[in-house]
Amino acid sequence: MLREAEKQNISWTALPLDSLKKVSEAFEADFTESLSVEAALAAKKVPGGTAPESVRAALANLEARLNKKTSKTGAKS
């Protein structure tokens, strides 16, 4: 893949699908979409992971724990 991109004088992430298919028929049109930062983060869908849903859940959990602690101690937020 890198050699082909070098031949075409482009980034390997910019290779057209037909060039990718020369390397492997397993490449599909959605391959380039998976190369973004957003896709990489979203792929980590585990507790404590970087997927937006996981981060939102962790923040909600932290907020709930802080609110619980604040109400127990009588502290003002």
Side-chain angles (χ1 to χ4, degrees), residues 38-71:
E38 292 80 11
L41 294 175
K44 309 296 186 235
K45 293 182 183 175
V46 296
T50 57
E53 304 87 47
S54 298
V55 172
R56 280 191 286 278
L59 288 171
N61 181 306
L62 176 62
E63 188 173 279
R65 289 173 43 211
L66 288 172
N67 287 337
K68 185 176 179 182
K69 190 170 197 146
T70 301
S71 66

Side-chain angles (χ1 to χ4, degrees), residues 10-72:
I10 59 174
S11 167
W12 68 273
T13 59
L15 280 170
L17 183 58
D18 61 327
S19 294
L20 294 172
K21 288 216 176 258
K22 289 178 189 174
V23 175
S24 171
E25 285 296 317
F27 286 110
E28 296 294 334
D30 62 348
F31 172 71
T32 55
E33 295 167 12
S34 68
L35 300 177
S36 70
V37 171
E38 292 80 11
L41 294 175
K44 309 296 186 235
K45 293 182 183 175
V46 296
T50 57
E53 304 87 47
S54 298
V55 172
R56 280 191 286 278
L59 288 171
N61 181 306
L62 176 62
E63 188 173 279
R65 289 173 43 211
L66 288 172
N67 287 337
K68 185 176 179 182
K69 190 170 197 146
T70 301
S71 66
K72 276 187 177 180

